[in-house]
Amino acid sequence: MEVLSKSKIIALLSDEKNEQQLWQQADKVRQENVGDEIHLRGLIEFSNICRNNCLYCGIRKGNRFALRYRMSEEELILTVKKASQMGFKTVVLQSGEDLYYDQARFCRIIEAIKKFDIAVTLSIGERTYEEYKSFREAGADRYLMRIETTDKDLYHKLDPNMSWQHRYECLLMIKELGYELGSGIMVGLPEQSIESIAEDLLFLREIGVDMAGIGPFIPHPQTPLAKEQGGTLALSLRTMAVMRLLMPDINIPATTAMESLHPEGRIQALQAGANVVMPNVNSSEYMKLYELYPNKPIEGFSQSDIAKKIENIGRTIGKGYGSHKHKE
Ligand code: 5AD
């Protein structure tokens, strides 16, 4: 398989006229490399308290209007239990960077939920090597942290108190510790060029992600970026499709942000290279409060609804853990 050059990637990302062909090609590559199974991950957003202040994010520390919540340890474990009883073989524990969940508390939680025979993905941001190591030893299987953009100047503008280099080093630590690594980007950030998105895709390939999440940036009204344009579904889908061409056998989710821009956004994504869906298993009260961006679909997960949609496009629900399987 030829590796796409940067100029070829830029051409594909820019070509609105032939995007249908790109999506079809990505769908074919998906079919040949990861098959027709769609893996479901039960997403549990367990705290929207965050120490960071990213300009784009609705739960940034500086958003005084955001009502904050944090599940207790018991509530989180019960929610995982519920997800496991619903049939999920993977849960994704996601939160703002909330240090109430320290090393000891988090290790206890991971040990408790591994008893449900479920793959555990953490998505809790930047931590120390020691913490990543102890979470892994406690049984965490995967870690999800988007690099957001590889344009370092843009990254630092989007959060002057964070360091791109540090985030990158966290990704390397996570990989070294033997987690399956998920990362990804937002599409349509202010000042982000097509060339920069092409570099993002090559970066994700270079670090060897096992999963790549790509979604449009959607301006949140209570953030400094409220008046920005945001990303489009079409460019997000083209970006995701090119990711599939670049890394044929990885896991690629149809992201929730795509669904926020179009009611069929996720289904379109599943037909343009994606093979994973992450239904939210929280109560709708919590779902509303975890508002990274507006128009987040607030829907209770129903196995039968999702199964029907998946069946309608000729696919099946994965029965296993849905880990990344390297083709060669
Ligand atoms: N629009 C789209 N995606 C966002 N995220 C955060 N804020 C927004 C927004 N306004 C994404 C980031 C983060 C992930 C959990 O949600 O990429 O890593």
mmCIF file of all heavy atoms in Angstrom, residues 237-273:
data_model
loop_
_atom_site.group_PDB
_atom_site.id
_atom_site.type_symbol
_atom_site.label_atom_id
_atom_site.label_comp_id
_atom_site.label_asym_id
_atom_site.label_seq_id
_atom_site.Cartn_x
_atom_site.Cartn_y
_atom_site.Cartn_z
ATOM 1 N N LEU A 237 -15.403 14.651 7.516
ATOM 2 C CA LEU A 237 -15.530 13.317 6.910
ATOM 3 C C LEU A 237 -14.384 13.048 5.935
ATOM 4 O O LEU A 237 -13.859 11.936 5.874
ATOM 5 C CB LEU A 237 -16.878 13.172 6.186
ATOM 6 C CG LEU A 237 -18.121 13.082 7.074
ATOM 7 C CD1 LEU A 237 -19.391 13.166 6.221
ATOM 8 C CD2 LEU A 237 -18.133 11.785 7.895
ATOM 9 N N ARG A 238 -13.986 14.069 5.193
ATOM 10 C CA ARG A 238 -12.848 13.869 4.281
ATOM 11 C C ARG A 238 -11.581 13.574 5.082
ATOM 12 O O ARG A 238 -10.799 12.686 4.728
ATOM 13 C CB ARG A 238 -12.638 15.106 3.381
ATOM 14 C CG ARG A 238 -13.755 15.351 2.379
ATOM 15 C CD ARG A 238 -13.307 16.232 1.213
ATOM 16 N NE ARG A 238 -12.945 17.596 1.581
ATOM 17 C CZ ARG A 238 -13.811 18.600 1.774
ATOM 18 N NH1 ARG A 238 -15.111 18.401 1.649
ATOM 19 N NH2 ARG A 238 -13.375 19.821 2.070
ATOM 20 N N THR A 239 -11.413 14.298 6.179
ATOM 21 C CA THR A 239 -10.230 14.084 7.018
ATOM 22 C C THR A 239 -10.227 12.661 7.575
ATOM 23 O O THR A 239 -9.202 11.959 7.545
ATOM 24 C CB THR A 239 -10.211 15.111 8.171
ATOM 25 O OG1 THR A 239 -10.336 16.425 7.619
ATOM 26 C CG2 THR A 239 -8.940 15.010 8.981
ATOM 27 N N MET A 240 -11.376 12.249 8.059
ATOM 28 C CA MET A 240 -11.488 10.898 8.614
ATOM 29 C C MET A 240 -11.232 9.836 7.542
ATOM 30 O O MET A 240 -10.546 8.838 7.786
ATOM 31 C CB MET A 240 -12.897 10.747 9.182
ATOM 32 C CG MET A 240 -13.118 9.549 10.039
ATOM 33 S SD MET A 240 -14.894 9.298 10.214
ATOM 34 C CE MET A 240 -15.275 8.701 8.569
ATOM 35 N N ALA A 241 -11.751 10.072 6.349
ATOM 36 C CA ALA A 241 -11.569 9.117 5.253
ATOM 37 C C ALA A 241 -10.088 8.997 4.881
ATOM 38 O O ALA A 241 -9.577 7.885 4.660
ATOM 39 C CB ALA A 241 -12.405 9.551 4.037
ATOM 40 N N VAL A 242 -9.387 10.121 4.837
ATOM 41 C CA VAL A 242 -7.953 10.067 4.512
ATOM 42 C C VAL A 242 -7.195 9.332 5.625
ATOM 43 O O VAL A 242 -6.276 8.555 5.359
ATOM 44 C CB VAL A 242 -7.375 11.483 4.277
ATOM 45 C CG1 VAL A 242 -5.867 11.413 4.065
ATOM 46 C CG2 VAL A 242 -8.043 12.157 3.082
ATOM 47 N N MET A 243 -7.619 9.542 6.867
ATOM 48 C CA MET A 243 -7.005 8.800 7.986
ATOM 49 C C MET A 243 -7.131 7.298 7.745
ATOM 50 O O MET A 243 -6.188 6.536 7.971
ATOM 51 C CB MET A 243 -7.711 9.199 9.288
ATOM 52 C CG MET A 243 -7.053 8.680 10.539
ATOM 53 S SD MET A 243 -5.551 9.583 10.921
ATOM 54 C CE MET A 243 -4.363 8.288 10.986
ATOM 55 N N ARG A 244 -8.285 6.872 7.301
ATOM 56 C CA ARG A 244 -8.505 5.442 7.016
ATOM 57 C C ARG A 244 -7.551 4.951 5.927
ATOM 58 O O ARG A 244 -7.005 3.854 6.031
ATOM 59 C CB ARG A 244 -9.969 5.200 6.634
ATOM 60 C CG ARG A 244 -10.296 3.799 6.169
ATOM 61 C CD ARG A 244 -9.953 2.728 7.196
ATOM 62 N NE ARG A 244 -10.911 2.677 8.302
ATOM 63 C CZ ARG A 244 -10.658 2.075 9.483
ATOM 64 N NH1 ARG A 244 -9.500 1.472 9.708
ATOM 65 N NH2 ARG A 244 -11.572 2.081 10.446
ATOM 66 N N LEU A 245 -7.348 5.789 4.909
ATOM 67 C CA LEU A 245 -6.431 5.375 3.828
ATOM 68 C C LEU A 245 -5.006 5.270 4.367
ATOM 69 O O LEU A 245 -4.240 4.393 3.977
ATOM 70 C CB LEU A 245 -6.469 6.363 2.657
ATOM 71 C CG LEU A 245 -7.831 6.616 1.993
ATOM 72 C CD1 LEU A 245 -7.654 7.490 0.755
ATOM 73 C CD2 LEU A 245 -8.528 5.311 1.619
ATOM 74 N N LEU A 246 -4.659 6.180 5.270
ATOM 75 C CA LEU A 246 -3.296 6.208 5.809
ATOM 76 C C LEU A 246 -3.038 5.062 6.786
ATOM 77 O O LEU A 246 -1.922 4.571 6.901
ATOM 78 C CB LEU A 246 -3.052 7.528 6.552
ATOM 79 C CG LEU A 246 -2.635 8.732 5.726
ATOM 80 C CD1 LEU A 246 -2.650 9.980 6.609
ATOM 81 C CD2 LEU A 246 -1.250 8.533 5.130
ATOM 82 N N MET A 247 -4.056 4.705 7.545
ATOM 83 C CA MET A 247 -3.907 3.641 8.543
ATOM 84 C C MET A 247 -5.089 2.684 8.411
ATOM 85 O O MET A 247 -6.071 2.785 9.161
ATOM 86 C CB MET A 247 -3.814 4.235 9.952
ATOM 87 C CG MET A 247 -2.632 5.178 10.110
ATOM 88 S SD MET A 247 -2.389 5.730 11.817
ATOM 89 C CE MET A 247 -1.509 4.317 12.524
ATOM 90 N N PRO A 248 -4.986 1.745 7.472
ATOM 91 C CA PRO A 248 -6.145 0.921 7.107
ATOM 92 C C PRO A 248 -6.721 0.055 8.230
ATOM 93 O O PRO A 248 -7.914 -0.219 8.227
ATOM 94 C CB PRO A 248 -5.591 0.027 5.990
ATOM 95 C CG PRO A 248 -4.419 0.764 5.438
ATOM 96 C CD PRO A 248 -3.821 1.503 6.594
ATOM 97 N N ASP A 249 -5.880 -0.358 9.205
ATOM 98 C CA ASP A 249 -6.414 -1.338 10.166
ATOM 99 C C ASP A 249 -6.714 -0.779 11.556
ATOM 100 O O ASP A 249 -7.032 -1.528 12.479
ATOM 101 C CB ASP A 249 -5.477 -2.560 10.260
ATOM 102 C CG ASP A 249 -4.105 -2.217 10.830
ATOM 103 O OD1 ASP A 249 -3.940 -1.125 11.405
ATOM 104 O OD2 ASP A 249 -3.189 -3.059 10.692
ATOM 105 N N ILE A 250 -6.643 0.537 11.740
ATOM 106 C CA ILE A 250 -6.900 1.070 13.089
ATOM 107 C C ILE A 250 -8.406 1.213 13.354
ATOM 108 O O ILE A 250 -9.226 1.052 12.448
ATOM 109 C CB ILE A 250 -6.209 2.443 13.324
ATOM 110 C CG1 ILE A 250 -6.742 3.497 12.349
ATOM 111 C CG2 ILE A 250 -4.697 2.312 13.243
ATOM 112 C CD1 ILE A 250 -6.331 4.932 12.727
ATOM 113 N N ASN A 251 -8.723 1.534 14.589
ATOM 114 C CA ASN A 251 -10.110 1.848 14.938
ATOM 115 C C ASN A 251 -10.362 3.329 14.720
ATOM 116 O O ASN A 251 -9.553 4.167 15.110
ATOM 117 C CB ASN A 251 -10.382 1.491 16.395
ATOM 118 C CG ASN A 251 -10.551 -0.007 16.589
ATOM 119 O OD1 ASN A 251 -11.198 -0.676 15.771
ATOM 120 N ND2 ASN A 251 -9.970 -0.546 17.647
ATOM 121 N N ILE A 252 -11.482 3.625 14.082
ATOM 122 C CA ILE A 252 -11.854 5.024 13.840
ATOM 123 C C ILE A 252 -13.315 5.227 14.256
ATOM 124 O O ILE A 252 -14.216 4.590 13.701
ATOM 125 C CB ILE A 252 -11.666 5.408 12.347
ATOM 126 C CG1 ILE A 252 -10.195 5.231 11.935
ATOM 127 C CG2 ILE A 252 -12.155 6.838 12.099
ATOM 128 C CD1 ILE A 252 -9.876 5.707 10.526
ATOM 129 N N PRO A 253 -13.542 6.070 15.256
ATOM 130 C CA PRO A 253 -14.921 6.297 15.691
ATOM 131 C C PRO A 253 -15.660 7.282 14.801
ATOM 132 O O PRO A 253 -15.078 8.216 14.259
ATOM 133 C CB PRO A 253 -14.757 6.877 17.103
ATOM 134 C CG PRO A 253 -13.433 7.552 17.083
ATOM 135 C CD PRO A 253 -12.563 6.791 16.109
ATOM 136 N N ALA A 254 -16.953 7.052 14.673
ATOM 137 C CA ALA A 254 -17.860 8.059 14.135
ATOM 138 C C ALA A 254 -18.159 8.970 15.318
ATOM 139 O O ALA A 254 -18.806 8.558 16.275
ATOM 140 C CB ALA A 254 -19.131 7.395 13.630
ATOM 141 N N THR A 255 -17.622 10.182 15.313
ATOM 142 C CA THR A 255 -17.635 10.982 16.546
ATOM 143 C C THR A 255 -18.966 11.689 16.781
ATOM 144 O O THR A 255 -19.704 12.009 15.848
ATOM 145 C CB THR A 255 -16.486 12.019 16.538
ATOM 146 O OG1 THR A 255 -16.573 12.821 15.354
ATOM 147 C CG2 THR A 255 -15.132 11.332 16.558
ATOM 148 N N THR A 256 -19.234 11.923 18.052
ATOM 149 C CA THR A 256 -20.482 12.559 18.460
ATOM 150 C C THR A 256 -20.608 13.959 17.868
ATOM 151 O O THR A 256 -21.709 14.391 17.507
ATOM 152 C CB THR A 256 -20.544 12.639 19.999
ATOM 153 O OG1 THR A 256 -20.167 11.365 20.522
ATOM 154 C CG2 THR A 256 -21.926 12.974 20.486
ATOM 155 N N ALA A 257 -19.472 14.668 17.765
ATOM 156 C CA ALA A 257 -19.529 16.033 17.229
ATOM 157 C C ALA A 257 -20.063 16.024 15.792
ATOM 158 O O ALA A 257 -20.719 16.973 15.362
ATOM 159 C CB ALA A 257 -18.154 16.686 17.294
ATOM 160 N N MET A 258 -19.800 14.943 15.051
ATOM 161 C CA MET A 258 -20.336 14.859 13.682
ATOM 162 C C MET A 258 -21.859 14.795 13.718
ATOM 163 O O MET A 258 -22.541 15.394 12.889
ATOM 164 C CB MET A 258 -19.781 13.633 12.971
ATOM 165 C CG MET A 258 -18.296 13.753 12.652
ATOM 166 S SD MET A 258 -17.749 12.334 11.727
ATOM 167 C CE MET A 258 -16.062 12.805 11.332
ATOM 168 N N GLU A 259 -22.370 14.075 14.703
ATOM 169 C CA GLU A 259 -23.825 13.948 14.857
ATOM 170 C C GLU A 259 -24.445 15.290 15.264
ATOM 171 O O GLU A 259 -25.589 15.573 14.943
ATOM 172 C CB GLU A 259 -24.126 12.884 15.933
ATOM 173 C CG GLU A 259 -25.567 12.471 16.010
ATOM 174 C CD GLU A 259 -25.842 11.180 15.257
ATOM 175 O OE1 GLU A 259 -25.085 10.844 14.331
ATOM 176 O OE2 GLU A 259 -26.831 10.505 15.608
ATOM 177 N N SER A 260 -23.666 16.128 15.953
ATOM 178 C CA SER A 260 -24.186 17.431 16.369
ATOM 179 C C SER A 260 -24.402 18.341 15.170
ATOM 180 O O SER A 260 -25.225 19.251 15.219
ATOM 181 C CB SER A 260 -23.214 18.122 17.326
ATOM 182 O OG SER A 260 -22.960 17.298 18.421
ATOM 183 N N LEU A 261 -23.647 18.127 14.114
ATOM 184 C CA LEU A 261 -23.793 18.978 12.925
ATOM 185 C C LEU A 261 -24.863 18.460 11.980
ATOM 186 O O LEU A 261 -25.394 19.203 11.168
ATOM 187 C CB LEU A 261 -22.462 19.075 12.172
ATOM 188 C CG LEU A 261 -21.341 19.826 12.890
ATOM 189 C CD1 LEU A 261 -20.139 19.960 11.979
ATOM 190 C CD2 LEU A 261 -21.803 21.204 13.353
ATOM 191 N N HIS A 262 -25.150 17.169 12.062
ATOM 192 C CA HIS A 262 -26.138 16.577 11.161
ATOM 193 C C HIS A 262 -26.722 15.334 11.822
ATOM 194 O O HIS A 262 -25.967 14.510 12.334
ATOM 195 C CB HIS A 262 -25.472 16.201 9.835
ATOM 196 C CG HIS A 262 -26.452 15.826 8.770
ATOM 197 N ND1 HIS A 262 -27.075 14.598 8.738
ATOM 198 C CD2 HIS A 262 -26.935 16.526 7.728
ATOM 199 C CE1 HIS A 262 -27.895 14.559 7.701
ATOM 200 N NE2 HIS A 262 -27.840 15.721 7.071
ATOM 201 N N PRO A 263 -28.057 15.165 11.803
ATOM 202 C CA PRO A 263 -28.656 14.012 12.495
ATOM 203 C C PRO A 263 -28.122 12.661 12.006
ATOM 204 O O PRO A 263 -28.134 11.693 12.756
ATOM 205 C CB PRO A 263 -30.151 14.152 12.214
ATOM 206 C CG PRO A 263 -30.339 15.380 11.403
ATOM 207 C CD PRO A 263 -29.043 16.100 11.262
ATOM 208 N N GLU A 264 -27.659 12.622 10.763
ATOM 209 C CA GLU A 264 -27.129 11.362 10.236
ATOM 210 C C GLU A 264 -25.601 11.367 10.175
ATOM 211 O O GLU A 264 -24.990 10.531 9.503
ATOM 212 C CB GLU A 264 -27.699 11.084 8.838
ATOM 213 C CG GLU A 264 -29.195 10.802 8.815
ATOM 214 C CD GLU A 264 -29.567 9.579 9.655
ATOM 215 O OE1 GLU A 264 -28.942 8.519 9.461
ATOM 216 O OE2 GLU A 264 -30.461 9.689 10.509
ATOM 217 N N GLY A 265 -24.990 12.324 10.889
ATOM 218 C CA GLY A 265 -23.533 12.484 10.802
ATOM 219 C C GLY A 265 -22.754 11.219 11.114
ATOM 220 O O GLY A 265 -21.794 10.880 10.429
ATOM 221 N N ARG A 266 -23.193 10.530 12.150
ATOM 222 C CA ARG A 266 -22.436 9.334 12.534
ATOM 223 C C ARG A 266 -22.613 8.192 11.535
ATOM 224 O O ARG A 266 -21.673 7.462 11.250
ATOM 225 C CB ARG A 266 -22.828 8.882 13.941
ATOM 226 C CG ARG A 266 -21.887 9.464 14.985
ATOM 227 C CD ARG A 266 -22.122 8.906 16.352
ATOM 228 N NE ARG A 266 -23.426 9.302 16.855
ATOM 229 C CZ ARG A 266 -23.792 9.247 18.139
ATOM 230 N NH1 ARG A 266 -22.949 8.799 19.044
ATOM 231 N NH2 ARG A 266 -24.981 9.634 18.516
ATOM 232 N N ILE A 267 -23.819 8.075 11.011
ATOM 233 C CA ILE A 267 -24.060 7.016 10.013
ATOM 234 C C ILE A 267 -23.237 7.306 8.754
ATOM 235 O O ILE A 267 -22.610 6.412 8.173
ATOM 236 C CB ILE A 267 -25.576 6.918 9.687
ATOM 237 C CG1 ILE A 267 -26.345 6.366 10.881
ATOM 238 C CG2 ILE A 267 -25.823 6.074 8.446
ATOM 239 C CD1 ILE A 267 -26.034 4.914 11.249
ATOM 240 N N GLN A 268 -23.210 8.576 8.375
ATOM 241 C CA GLN A 268 -22.368 8.942 7.227
ATOM 242 C C GLN A 268 -20.911 8.579 7.486
ATOM 243 O O GLN A 268 -20.225 8.060 6.611
ATOM 244 C CB GLN A 268 -22.454 10.452 6.981
ATOM 245 C CG GLN A 268 -23.579 10.857 6.057
ATOM 246 C CD GLN A 268 -23.478 12.349 5.744
ATOM 247 O OE1 GLN A 268 -24.038 13.159 6.456
ATOM 248 N NE2 GLN A 268 -22.765 12.705 4.697
ATOM 249 N N ALA A 269 -20.459 8.844 8.707
ATOM 250 C CA ALA A 269 -19.069 8.534 9.061
ATOM 251 C C ALA A 269 -18.802 7.036 8.974
ATOM 252 O O ALA A 269 -17.744 6.602 8.496
ATOM 253 C CB ALA A 269 -18.762 9.059 10.465
ATOM 254 N N LEU A 270 -19.780 6.251 9.411
ATOM 255 C CA LEU A 270 -19.603 4.788 9.370
ATOM 256 C C LEU A 270 -19.523 4.273 7.941
ATOM 257 O O LEU A 270 -19.050 3.170 7.697
ATOM 258 C CB LEU A 270 -20.753 4.097 10.113
ATOM 259 C CG LEU A 270 -20.758 4.280 11.637
ATOM 260 C CD1 LEU A 270 -22.046 3.759 12.234
ATOM 261 C CD2 LEU A 270 -19.557 3.586 12.278
ATOM 262 N N GLN A 271 -19.990 5.094 7.003
ATOM 263 C CA GLN A 271 -19.918 4.695 5.595
ATOM 264 C C GLN A 271 -18.796 5.418 4.860
ATOM 265 O O GLN A 271 -18.726 5.411 3.640
ATOM 266 C CB GLN A 271 -21.274 4.967 4.922
ATOM 267 C CG GLN A 271 -22.362 4.121 5.542
ATOM 268 C CD GLN A 271 -23.726 4.423 4.962
ATOM 269 O OE1 GLN A 271 -24.317 5.472 5.206
ATOM 270 N NE2 GLN A 271 -24.224 3.492 4.168
ATOM 271 N N ALA A 272 -17.930 6.058 5.645
ATOM 272 C CA ALA A 272 -16.804 6.780 5.035
ATOM 273 C C ALA A 272 -15.497 6.473 5.775
ATOM 274 O O ALA A 272 -14.595 7.291 5.818
ATOM 275 C CB ALA A 272 -17.092 8.284 5.045
ATOM 276 N N GLY A 273 -15.448 5.271 6.377
ATOM 277 C CA GLY A 273 -14.190 4.847 6.994
ATOM 278 C C GLY A 273 -14.255 4.484 8.463
ATOM 279 O O GLY A 273 -13.369 3.799 8.981
#
